Amino acid sequence: MKRIVIIFALALIFSGCEPVQKRIETVKIISVDKQIETNGSNGNISTHIYWLINTDKGTFRVETAGLWACPEASSLKVDSTYTVTTDGFFKSSFLGLYPYITAIK
């Protein structure tokens, strides 16, 4: 019985995920929110900083390092229009998964 509940819960969570394909979109920036996550304890603390960009086409995530990095995206201005390249694996606002902005033109 417990196994059925777990499988049902996972199916429910992942049914809200949509696959993301690489594409180029013109978006108008509504807000830019800096996110800071700090993990660890005592002498072993790590900090991860990223941005959530809310646009007229949805919410996107911007990383400053790594595979999906687009450091120039952190300087996006509210109420401006940009042509961006987006990519990723899945999107689900419930799980906090958003497509990445990987380039700005």
Side-chain angles (χ1 to χ4, degrees), residues 21-46:
Q21 295 180 352
K22 184 175 185 174
R23 63 183 181 198
I24 297 173
E25 294 188 76
T26 301
V27 297
K28 181 177 180 184
I29 307 298
I30 296 170
S31 70
V32 178
D33 301 314
K34 185 176 184 178
Q35 306 292 309
I36 302 172
E37 294 178 355
T38 304
N39 296 310
S41 61
N42 294 337
N44 189 17
I45 296 176
S46 65

Side-chain angles (χ1 to χ4, degrees), residues 56-86:
D56 60 338
K57 303 279 177 74
T59 301
F60 299 94
R61 183 175 176 140
V62 173
E63 295 284 345
T64 56
L67 179 63
W68 308 110
C70 184
E72 63 272 14
S74 62
S75 63
L76 295 174
K77 305 288 184 226
V78 174
D79 292 327
S80 298
T81 302
Y82 298 92
T83 301
V84 297
T85 303
T86 62

